[in-house]
Amino acid sequence: MTPDGVHGGRRGGPSPAVVLAVDSGGSGLRVALAAHAVPGDDRSPVRRGAPAHPHPAPLGAPLTSREPVRTGPRGISAGHLLDQLLPMTRRLMADAGADRLGAVAVGAAGLATLGDELRDELPAALERELGVRRLALAADAVTAYTGALGARAGAVIAAGTGMIAVGTDLTSWRRADGWGHLLGDCGGGAWIGRAGLEAALRAFDGRPGGSAALLARAEEMFGPMPGLPGLLYPRTDRAAVLASFAPEVAGLRGSDPVSSGILRTAARHMAESAAAVCPADGEPHLALTGGVFNMGAAILGPLTEALGERLPHACRVPAAGDPLDGALRIAADLADGRLALPPDERMLYVVAEKPHGEIYGPKPS
């Protein structure tokens, strides 16, 4: 094991022509193959400062599972992930006529804090079952970043049910928030929905800060307010239930001052997180990804204003792809010796067949 998260092992033969990408999150798994012709296995798995190139195209539609990977005493369950991943992978490989994988990239929600079992067990299991010799285990924020920006310095705000900002100068990673709906995820869908429901309950009680408009929408969705705690608290998908109310808040932006205030505060939280991780020097790129931004101008308007105040030096660019695209990019770059993103024990954990001394090229100046 090396201090920066790249692990060496035995050598192997030539790389095959496909790579595998996995996107594991709260809604289940997505798995895809991409064609990747590599002439030989003579290049280092990680090459700092390598040039950017487009995301590899998937071979057919990804396979999906709607069953999220369970967590246990040691975090994300490697066994439960493998129970789903192995048959899906074998089916994809059979359909593609592939018999070996050049590299695998697994993007997993919670990897940074709940990934010990995956790091300990997945490399040996995938080598045993599929002959995998190059593996990247990435936090879902890293695959979201790579899908959006590729191997460029900058920052990405990933806002769906939760919210995390991640940034890199291509020498190290920084993250802000992503602490879950009970402790953070400020500005994400669950945060917006919870704030809207709190305003509805304030109106129901007659307390200051309430919104009669949000109360009416909440009662349409959930029924009488006294029953809301009983509907919400026993649910294991509480965050998703809270996030389901976020579009109702967005829909009232133009007519309800409380809703407008919630969205402005959400935008401020996201901009603060982005400012905490974005490289301070140069002209870093900044992209947005995730379902919250499907709410359109209701959130993009105040967020654009907040980002202009806090990150005037960042260059806003559209996201090039999603987290599965990012995992495909990482897998292809790892197979091809072009992985310019910085390895990290918790954020981007790389296992390769070459010893440490042969992995790193010169660092970018």
Side-chain angles (χ1 to χ4, degrees), residues 254-277:
S255 58
D256 178 45
V258 173
S259 297
S260 297
I262 290 170
L263 294 165
R264 285 194 302 271
T265 304
R268 176 173 56 82
H269 284 313
M270 287 191 277
E272 289 172 348
S273 292
V277 303

Side-chain angles (χ1 to χ4, degrees), residues 11 24 41 43 52 60 115 145-146 149 161 170 191 205-206 223 244 249 261 297 304 308 336:
R11 297 175 181 269
S24 174
D41 196 18
R43 284 178 286 186
Y145 183 102
T146 310
L149 288 182
T161 298
L170 301 184
W191 187 95
D205 292 341
S244 71
V249 179
T304 298
D336 198 30

Side-chain angles (χ1 to χ4, degrees), residues 19-362:
V19 294
L20 178 75
V22 182
D23 178 33
S24 174
S27 58
L29 287 181
R30 294 188 298 157
V31 183
L33 284 182
H36 187 68
V38 178
D41 196 18
D42 56 351
R43 284 178 286 186
S44 299
V46 180
R47 180 175 300 168
R48 298 293 180 86
H53 54 88
H55 296 320
L59 292 171
L63 294 183
T64 62
S65 166
R66 295 188 179 181
E67 182 178 3
V69 177
R70 294 191 295 264
T71 57
R74 298 189 61 235
I76 303 165
S77 170
H80 191 222
L81 174 61
L82 289 165
D83 286 345
Q84 299 185 71
L85 176 59
L86 290 176
M88 297 167 78
T89 301
R90 288 172 177 140
R91 177 180 165 187
L92 285 169
M93 293 177 69
D95 290 347
D99 59 0
R100 295 182 61 207
L101 296 168
V104 175
V106 178
L111 182 81
T113 53
L114 297 170
D116 286 348
E117 185 172 315
L118 291 186
R119 286 184 284 266
D120 288 347
E121 299 183 15
L122 214 57
L126 289 177
E127 182 173 12
R128 181 180 64 250
E129 298 292 335
L130 299 172
V132 174
R133 300 187 313 278
R134 294 188 179 187
L135 170 66
L137 299 179
D140 60 342
V142 170
T143 53
Y145 183 102
T146 310
L149 288 182
R152 293 184 288 180
V156 167
I157 301 172
T161 298
M163 197 293 299
I164 187 170
V166 62
T168 183
D169 58 2
L170 301 184
T171 64
S172 64
W173 292 98
R174 297 189 67 181
R175 55 166 284 178
D177 210 337
W179 298 117
H181 73 285
L182 293 178
L183 297 175
D185 285 357
C186 299
W191 187 95
I192 293 171
R194 184 203 172 281
L197 289 171
E198 180 186 347
L201 290 168
R202 285 180 172 272
F204 180 82
D205 292 341
R207 291 179 288 151
S211 164
L214 286 170
L215 174 59
R217 295 289 180 91
E219 289 178 334
E220 289 176 9
M221 284 190 67
F222 300 109
M225 287 296 94
L228 181 59
L231 288 174
L232 182 62
Y233 292 160
R235 298 280 293 261
T236 58
D237 60 345
R238 288 185 299 272
V241 176
L242 291 170
S244 71
F245 195 64
E248 304 300 321
V249 179
L252 291 170
R253 178 198 176 206
S255 58
D256 178 45
V258 173
S259 297
S260 297
I262 290 170
L263 294 165
R264 285 194 302 271
T265 304
R268 176 173 56 82
H269 284 313
M270 287 191 277
E272 289 172 348
S273 292
V277 303
C278 190
D281 299 326
E283 297 182 356
H285 293 81
L286 174 66
L288 313 177
T289 184
V292 158
F293 303 114
N294 293 335
M295 296 191 300
I299 191 65
L300 292 175
L303 181 57
T304 298
E305 181 178 348
L307 289 171
E309 294 173 356
R310 295 184 178 274
L311 286 172
H313 70 297
C315 176
R316 277 279 303 276
V317 296
D322 67 8
L324 186 61
D325 295 316
L328 282 170
R329 171 70 181 272
I330 290 170
D333 284 355
L334 183 59
D336 198 30
R338 296 181 181 273
L339 187 59
L341 297 170
D344 179 273
E345 188 75 14
R346 294 195 172 274
M347 298 289 285
L348 181 56
Y349 179 87
V350 178
V351 179
E353 81 289 351
K354 290 179 179 287
H356 173 58
E358 297 182 30
I359 289 175
Y360 287 98

